[in-house]
């Protein structure tokens, strides 16, 4: 059973959000976690449930191709509303596929080799070869990712926000890359920010933010926050 604790914000009655942190190529554990969500929904039905991924699907871990196949295929949670946010790794991958040498080097440096491996592609091949070999539905899905999502008292983004800047005026680069001064900020941001991007051993619950990146690709669990009313619980795989 999911154990709940008080959350720093709330959702309207009859709404639930399943929010998943950084996946980084952990395809088998993503499928397992989706299975746990399906079980939770069977045990505890709710009027409006949303499946939300916080981004960083690819790179570093072993099966980015499998993650994208799972998310673009017949997801076991097909009945749920879905919100898929993009992270800095998706931005780096899409930039690299355009072929500029600096962007290619950046992507390979930040873990892109693992993604290429998962598609059976060589890092020495031309970016145009990569782009032609990756299934078009994977690329379409990556290009359709959103930067943020608001629900109840929460704002969902990949990395965080710049403290002191209105939520409507945040720049996209901050939303997918920021660490400091966001992580140490004690400010009220106008919403509790639910994010990933910065790996921790355990999920962090602060008064102004919730971090769900638990380093799945390097030995930690893949974490899903279950948000409903004024409480939060966790599912892990
Ligand atoms: Mn990230």
């Amino acid at each position: 059973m999911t154990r709940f604790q008080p959350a720093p914000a709330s959702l309207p009655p009859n709404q639930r959000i399943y929010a998943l942190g950084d996946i980084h190529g952990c395809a088998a554990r993503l499928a397992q976690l989706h299975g746990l969500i399906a079980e939770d929904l069977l045990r505890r039905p709710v009027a409006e449930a949303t499946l939300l991924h916080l981004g960083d699907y690819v790179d570093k871990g072993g099966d980015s191709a499998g993650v994208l196949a799972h998310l673009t295929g017949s997801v076991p949670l097909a009945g749920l509303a879905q919100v898929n946010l993009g992270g800095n790794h998706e931005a780096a991958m899409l930039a690299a596929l355009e072929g500029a040498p600096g962007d290619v080097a950046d992507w390979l440096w930040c873990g892109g080799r693992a993604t290429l491996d998962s598609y059976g592609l060589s890092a020495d091949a031309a970016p145009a070869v990569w782009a032609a070999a990756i299934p078009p539905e994977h690329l379409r899905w990556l290009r359709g990712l959103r930067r943020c999502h608001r629900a109840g008292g929460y704002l969902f983004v990949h990395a965080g926000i710049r403290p002191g800047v209105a939520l409507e005026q945040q720049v996209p680069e901050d939303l997918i890359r920021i660490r400091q001064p966001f992580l140490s900020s004690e400010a009220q941001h106008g919403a509790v920010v639910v994010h990933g991007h910065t790996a921790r051993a355990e999920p962090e619950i602060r008064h102004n933010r919730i971090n769900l990146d638990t380093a799945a690709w390097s030995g930690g669990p893949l974490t899903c926050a279950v948000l409903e009313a004024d409480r939060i619980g966790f599912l892990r795989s």
Side-chain angles (χ1 to χ4, degrees), residues 54-68:
L54 287 165
D56 278 6
Y57 309 90
V58 299
D59 296 353
K60 299 183 175 182
D63 195 4
S64 295
V67 168
L68 293 178

Side-chain angles (χ1 to χ4, degrees), residues 20-27 30 53-61 63-64 67-68 71 84-93 107 110 115 141-142 145-147 157-159 175-177 179 195-199 213 215-217 222:
L20 280 73
D22 302 42
I23 298 163
H24 283 308
C26 297
L30 176 62
H53 301 105
L54 287 165
D56 278 6
Y57 309 90
V58 299
D59 296 353
K60 299 183 175 182
D63 195 4
S64 295
V67 168
L68 293 178
L71 289 168
N84 298 307
L85 304 181
N88 54 307
H89 284 266
E90 286 74 52
M93 176 178 174
W107 184 45
C110 78
T115 300
W141 189 85
L142 289 169
L145 296 172
R146 295 170 51 180
R147 287 279 181 248
V157 293
H158 175 63
L175 300 182
I176 63 171
R177 294 186 202 279
R179 295 188 209 274
H195 66 96
H197 185 60
T198 301
D213 181 359
W217 75 276
L222 183 60

Side-chain angles (χ1 to χ4, degrees), residues 41-105:
L41 278 167
L42 272 178
R43 266 198 315 266
R44 308 185 308 115
V46 63
E48 284 179 55
T50 299
L51 174 64
L52 187 148
H53 301 105
L54 287 165
D56 278 6
Y57 309 90
V58 299
D59 296 353
K60 299 183 175 182
D63 195 4
S64 295
V67 168
L68 293 178
H70 178 76
L71 289 168
T72 58
S74 53
V75 174
L77 300 162
L80 285 189
Q82 270 198 50
V83 174
N84 298 307
L85 304 181
N88 54 307
H89 284 266
E90 286 74 52
M93 176 178 174
L94 289 172
L97 294 178
E98 299 292 317
D103 291 334
V104 170

Side-chain angles (χ1 to χ4, degrees), residues 83-164:
V83 174
N84 298 307
L85 304 181
N88 54 307
H89 284 266
E90 286 74 52
M93 176 178 174
L94 289 172
L97 294 178
E98 299 292 317
D103 291 334
V104 170
D106 284 350
W107 184 45
L108 295 179
W109 183 82
C110 78
R113 268 169 214 280
T115 300
L116 291 170
D117 278 349
S118 73
Y119 283 104
L121 293 166
S122 162
D124 298 325
V129 172
W130 301 339
I134 296 170
E137 64 268 27
H138 294 191
L139 296 176
R140 257 197 309 276
W141 189 85
L142 289 169
R143 292 189 177 112
L145 296 172
R146 295 170 51 180
R147 287 279 181 248
C148 60
H149 177 72
R150 272 305 291 263
Y154 297 103
L155 173 75
F156 300 83
V157 293
H158 175 63
I161 56 112
R162 187 161 296 277

Side-chain angles (χ1 to χ4, degrees), residues 167-212:
L167 294 180
E168 310 75 48
Q169 283 161 13
Q170 297 285 324
V171 301
E173 283 297 292
D174 281 337
L175 300 182
I176 63 171
R177 294 186 202 279
I178 200 165
R179 295 188 209 274
Q180 297 299 357
F182 168 66
L183 295 173
S184 54
S185 172
E186 295 294 329
Q188 298 289 352
H189 301 307
V192 169
V193 179
V194 183
H195 66 96
H197 185 60
T198 301
R200 297 284 188 255
E202 292 287 327
E204 294 176 291
I205 305 176
R206 302 275 177 85
H207 72 91
N208 58 358
R209 65 179 182 88
I210 298 171
N211 180 7
L212 300 177

